[in-house]
Amino acid sequence: MEEIKSIQWFPGHMTKTKRKIISQLKLIDAVAILLDARIPYSSCNPDLRSIINNKPRLVVLNKCDMADPAETKKWLALFRQKNIAALALDCKTGKGLNAFIPTVKNVLADRIKAWNSKGMTGRTIKVMVVGIPNVGKSSFINRMAKQNRAKVEDRPGVTRGNQWFTIGKGFDLLDTPGVLWPKFDDPAVGERLAFIGSVKDDILDTEQLSGRLLEYLRDNFPDSLCARYKLNKEEIMPMQGYEILEQVGRKRGMLISGGEIDTERAAAAVLDEFRSAALGKLTIDRAEDHQDVRI
Ligand code: G4P
């Protein structure tokens, strides 16, 4: 099956957001980059590095409840090896959230020391949260805020509409001003974002997308795929995605009048089930394939 080529983003939004982020960098001390633990590479905006320039940063691998824990460990090790603080979180249950504030303080240790020596003890630490749509920014901020009895505040000198959240004594989060779209020259990146549901399905051909996903699963996680849909590994190996999709529909008894397979319904089921980790905790971007990742 052909790769999905038609995923389009909106460079207009991107330019505006870039400008906003750059203009707000002076208000913050560090940037928390939220990535999807299933696709830490594909969910990372490649322009971010130049946008945030030399601001202290940390990587947050969110949705780790849906990623392979062994792979998440490898990703954390890879970032740390590059001297980038990284932690894994799950905003559904709140697992890992407690490590956030200490990690930021660790990243800013030298600055905090300098503040203290200038008598600025207890200076509020401000962190901007960035990440592509759907990565869990609102969930993260809400969780952190709730956990620490949040208060949304308007701050003097800050444009209206900015969202500051106090998440602890002397600790504020700034929600991203605008939408940070991913940019991808590599069609595989777009496809992976679509697999996890970061690209709205109404602009995609779901049968084609699920066909591609089935081919991907067959090549990378054949056992999970076959177990879920009771497929025969040898049988599906030479098949095209669409044929595997038909097999899934047949196994599930998804038929339309005349006995034809309802591939549209089968496609929706495959995508839904993959996105809710019903096929297991699967990480698509593997750390060993992205040793050169830069943030
Ligand atoms: P955004 O602000 O970055 O756009 O993302 P948002 O917080 O809206 O989260 C997008 C979706 O991801 C939401 O699901 C949210 O519940 C889910 N999500 C966020 N963090 C996690 C996580 O750590 N683990 C899992 N499994 N899911 C997470 P939704 O289906 O859009 O909404 P809802 O069903 O939660 O209402």
Side-chain angles (χ1 to χ4, degrees):
M1 234 168 173
E2 261 196 84
E3 275 185 334
I4 317 272
K5 291 201 185 84
S6 59
I7 303 166
Q8 289 298 327
W9 302 96
F10 307 96
H13 282 269
M14 188 60 204
T15 315
K16 223 163 127 189
T17 302
K18 255 195 215 175
R19 241 186 277 128
K20 276 192 190 167
I21 292 180
I22 290 167
S23 76
Q24 297 202 315
L25 285 176
K26 57 183 179 297
L27 304 173
I28 55 141
D29 303 305
V31 180
I33 303 162
L34 259 66
L35 303 178
D36 190 303
R38 294 165 296 174
I39 50 166
Y41 173 77
S42 305
S43 59
C44 184
N45 181 292
D47 286 345
L48 205 52
R49 194 179 153 87
S50 67
I51 297 174
I52 63 179
N53 201 7
N54 55 5
K55 269 283 161 194
R57 67 210 61 193
L58 70 154
V59 164
V60 174
L61 296 179
N62 190 34
K63 307 199 187 185
C64 71
D65 55 310
M66 296 204 280
D68 177 351
E71 284 297 324
T72 300
K73 249 192 206 159
K74 286 186 198 164
W75 273 106
L76 291 176
L78 177 60
F79 285 120
R80 288 170 188 159
Q81 182 195 319
K82 290 174 185 284
N83 264 334
I84 301 166
L87 67 159
L89 289 183
D90 156 11
C91 289
K92 269 260 155 70
T93 66
K95 196 172 144 222
L97 281 169
N98 285 341
F100 181 73
I101 292 180
T103 305
V104 173
K105 286 187 174 165
N106 204 23
V107 168
L108 294 173
D110 287 347
R111 275 160 215 244
I112 294 172
K113 227 192 214 161
W115 296 336
N116 289 347
S117 69
K118 287 186 207 155
M120 295 157 74
T121 32
R123 180 189 179 286
T124 298
I125 295 170
K126 303 186 205 84
V127 179
M128 183 194 274
V129 178
V130 301
I132 63 164
N134 224 28
V135 73
K137 292 181 298 298
S138 325
S139 310
F140 169 67
I141 292 172
N142 287 338
R143 271 267 178 195
M144 288 300 295
K146 232 179 260 160
Q147 196 152 303
N148 299 284
R149 259 182 269 119
K151 193 165 84 198
V152 184
E153 288 181 7
D154 265 341
R155 293 196 170 241
V158 178
T159 335
R160 242 183 41 215
N162 279 338
Q163 292 280 288
W164 284 99
F165 296 84
T166 298
I167 60 159
K169 195 167 170 291
F171 207 106
D172 289 358
L173 290 184
L174 173 62
D175 200 359
T176 310
V179 181
L180 194 63
W181 294 100
K183 188 184 112 190
F184 40 90
D185 306 322
D186 176 0
V189 168
E191 209 167 67
R192 288 171 178 207
L193 287 159
F195 286 168
I196 66 154
S198 266
V199 184
K200 282 209 180 346
D201 280 341
D202 49 15
I203 62 163
L204 297 169
D205 177 338
T206 53
E207 283 172 84
Q208 191 190 1
L209 179 64
S210 68
R212 287 289 301 165
L213 175 59
L214 288 166
E215 286 174 357
Y216 169 82
L217 292 169
R218 179 212 39 215
D219 297 342
N220 294 278
F221 302 102
D223 296 334
S224 309
L225 174 66
C226 291
R228 178 81 196 168
Y229 299 109
K230 303 188 173 51
L231 302 172
N232 179 300
K233 205 150 74 173
E234 276 71 48
E235 232 174 82
I236 61 164
M237 277 305 157
M239 283 186 181
Q240 293 272 313
Y242 192 78
E243 294 170 280
I244 309 176
L245 183 63
E246 287 180 317
Q247 285 274 14
V248 169
R250 196 173 295 127
K251 292 278 179 186
R252 287 277 174 98
M254 292 172 167
L255 304 174
I256 35 181
S257 54
E260 241 179 84
I261 299 162
D262 189 345
T263 43
E264 235 174 85
R265 228 179 107 206
V270 167
L271 292 171
D272 269 4
E273 291 169 27
F274 175 73
R275 289 169 186 170
S276 59
L279 278 84
K281 293 172 188 271
L282 308 178
T283 298
I284 310 182
D285 287 343
R286 294 183 328 165
E288 62 201 65
D289 298 332
H290 298 286
Q291 294 292 309
D292 57 346
V293 72
R294 295 173 86 214
I295 286 186

